[in-house]
Amino acid sequence: MEILAFGVTADEKPLLERAFAGQHEVRCLDVLLSEDTVPIAVGYEIVSSSVNADLGHRVLNALSAGGTKMIAQRSTGFNNIDLDVARRLGMTVGRVSYYSPHSVAEFAWTLAMAVNRKVVRAAIRTRDFDFRLNGLMGRDFHGRTAGILGTGKIGEAFARIAHGFGMTLLGWDVARNPACLELGMTYVDKEELLARSDLISLHVPLLESTHHLIDAAALKAMRDDAILVNSSRGGLIDAAALVDELRAGRFAGVGLDVYEAEAGVFFLDKSLEAVEDDTLARLVTFPHVVVTGHQAYYTADAVGQIIDTTVRNVADYLAGRRSENTLVPSP
């Protein structure tokens, strides 16, 4: 069987082809699955999608009409998939429920360190042989407070690194993680966490209840010199409200690997096009803001695990099995 995979990067392609070798052929495309590209999938029973694919009702209906019966999403998040429509169409949907939490946690710390120590600004200066230190002063994380919203596997990994820095740990979640408690984490309500934390990192999934978890009121509750990092989902932060606070001169730094309107922008080369998103355009102009293109997961270890799980999801579908990765089972 030939599987069609959308949104495959150049680094990912040989890993994906190697993983399916001897089992199935895989056709890799670098374009994202959308209403414009869905006609390519006609005749493919199994389609693999990436996190920013459009799997709304129009795309799902087009896929079903073209013969697609199984969607293997290569990500943990699945808020881009209309599961009710997939269920009505009798389509099987699988995702990757787990991959290395260290990849995202370590990148969140990369962003935190980059904005704290002004690494991007310093690197740009030294390219011009400007070695002055003016404006590059950061601060020690040791002895300060890290607030972690979401203390699952990734949040726990982030907390372990913070503990290594010698930070006080505050946590917020619907359930307490025993491993985080062993690190000395104190669980508090969101308002207290925001008010007390020097560094705030987001590690919760994007659900209806967490959309704009960091809204205008939450941003105002944060310390003026706080550092905010989001490597989870863009919709957790009200980006327009964040711009308003940044314009007011607030926050020591902001690191964003995700953005609430990133679909159709991230993973694509937009360097020769006019920027239509005024909020994103404004965000990247602030000298103490670092924006990256949803790359926190992008390590050989994590991508390898994602691909291996995708191969298993395809095998489970063909064998009529369910697993913890099955979002919509075979009818």
Side-chain angles (χ1 to χ4, degrees):
M1 178 180 294
E2 186 176 32
I3 297 164
L4 182 61
F6 285 91
V8 180
T9 68
D11 298 321
E12 186 184 9
K13 181 179 178 181
L15 300 177
L16 199 57
E17 291 174 339
R18 191 179 309 128
F20 276 110
Q23 303 177 59
H24 307 287
E25 296 292 325
V26 59
R27 180 186 176 192
C28 297
L29 303 177
D30 60 359
V31 297
L32 298 174
L33 178 56
S34 66
E35 288 187 55
D36 292 331
T37 61
V38 70
I40 305 172
V42 171
Y44 287 91
E45 181 178 344
I46 300 174
V47 168
S48 180
S49 56
S50 57
V51 67
N52 271 346
D54 174 3
L55 284 160
H57 68 95
R58 286 192 175 88
V59 172
L60 288 173
N61 276 289
L63 285 172
S64 181
T68 299
K69 298 180 180 178
M70 195 264 179
I71 296 167
Q73 175 128 313
R74 304 187 310 281
S75 71
T76 298
F78 55 90
N79 53 287
N80 61 317
I81 307 174
D82 192 327
L83 298 180
D84 291 333
V85 171
R87 193 173 291 109
R88 177 174 56 79
L89 293 170
M91 302 176 76
T92 301
V93 180
R95 60 138 179 180
V96 178
S97 60
Y98 174 85
Y99 60 84
S100 170
H102 306 290
S103 60
V104 179
E106 290 173 6
F107 193 82
W109 267 104
T110 300
L111 289 174
M113 294 297 292
V115 296
N116 179 40
R117 301 306 298 269
K118 319 302 193 287
V119 173
V120 175
R121 191 188 307 179
I124 292 172
R125 280 189 189 179
T126 56
R127 284 178 179 270
D128 292 329
F129 291 91
D130 179 354
F131 298 100
R132 292 172 299 171
L133 298 182
N134 298 336
L136 300 182
M137 184 175 288
R139 56 185 174 176
D140 292 355
F141 279 125
H142 178 83
R144 287 188 162 82
T145 299
I148 303 168
L149 293 159
T151 57
K153 292 182 176 66
I154 297 173
E156 177 190 331
F158 186 92
R160 290 188 182 280
I161 299 171
H163 182 261
F165 271 99
M167 300 187 76
T168 298
L169 302 179
L170 298 181
W172 176 86
D173 208 327
V174 293
R176 299 185 177 192
N177 184 334
C180 290
L181 291 172
E182 289 181 9
L183 293 172
M185 177 178 285
T186 301
Y187 280 85
V188 296
D189 60 35
K190 186 181 77 171
E191 289 69 25
E192 182 177 350
L193 183 149
L194 295 175
R196 290 177 54 189
S197 298
D198 299 288
L199 168 63
I200 297 166
S201 192
L202 308 183
H203 300 289
V204 298
L206 180 58
L207 308 169
E208 192 172 324
S209 59
T210 60
H211 181 255
H212 284 183
L213 180 70
I214 304 299
D215 57 11
L219 290 164
K220 290 185 183 301
M222 292 168 54
R223 299 174 54 165
D224 287 345
D225 61 352
I227 290 174
L228 174 63
V229 172
N230 186 12
S231 58
S232 183
R233 288 291 181 266
L236 299 175
I237 297 178
D238 183 338
L242 176 59
V243 167
D244 288 340
E245 296 301 311
L246 290 168
R247 290 178 63 188
R250 300 190 65 227
F251 308 135
V254 175
L256 304 175
D257 185 52
V258 288
Y259 174 64
E260 62 177 325
E262 69 181 56
V265 179
F266 282 20
F267 304 124
L268 302 174
D269 181 1
K270 297 288 185 176
S271 60
L272 299 179
E273 300 178 22
V275 179
E276 298 180 357
D277 188 327
D278 291 339
T279 301
L280 178 59
R282 190 60 189 265
L283 274 173
V284 299
T285 64
F286 291 102
H288 57 317
V289 174
V290 172
V291 179
T292 53
H294 206 140
Q295 70 179 82
Y297 78 99
Y298 204 55
T299 67
D301 309 84
V303 172
Q305 291 173 336
I306 289 169
I307 290 172
D308 288 344
T309 300
T310 300
V311 171
R312 289 198 301 273
N313 288 345
V314 168
D316 287 342
Y317 159 73
L318 294 173
R321 297 188 297 260
R322 300 185 185 185
S323 74
E324 70 279 3
N325 300 310
T326 305
L327 294 172
V328 180
S330 301

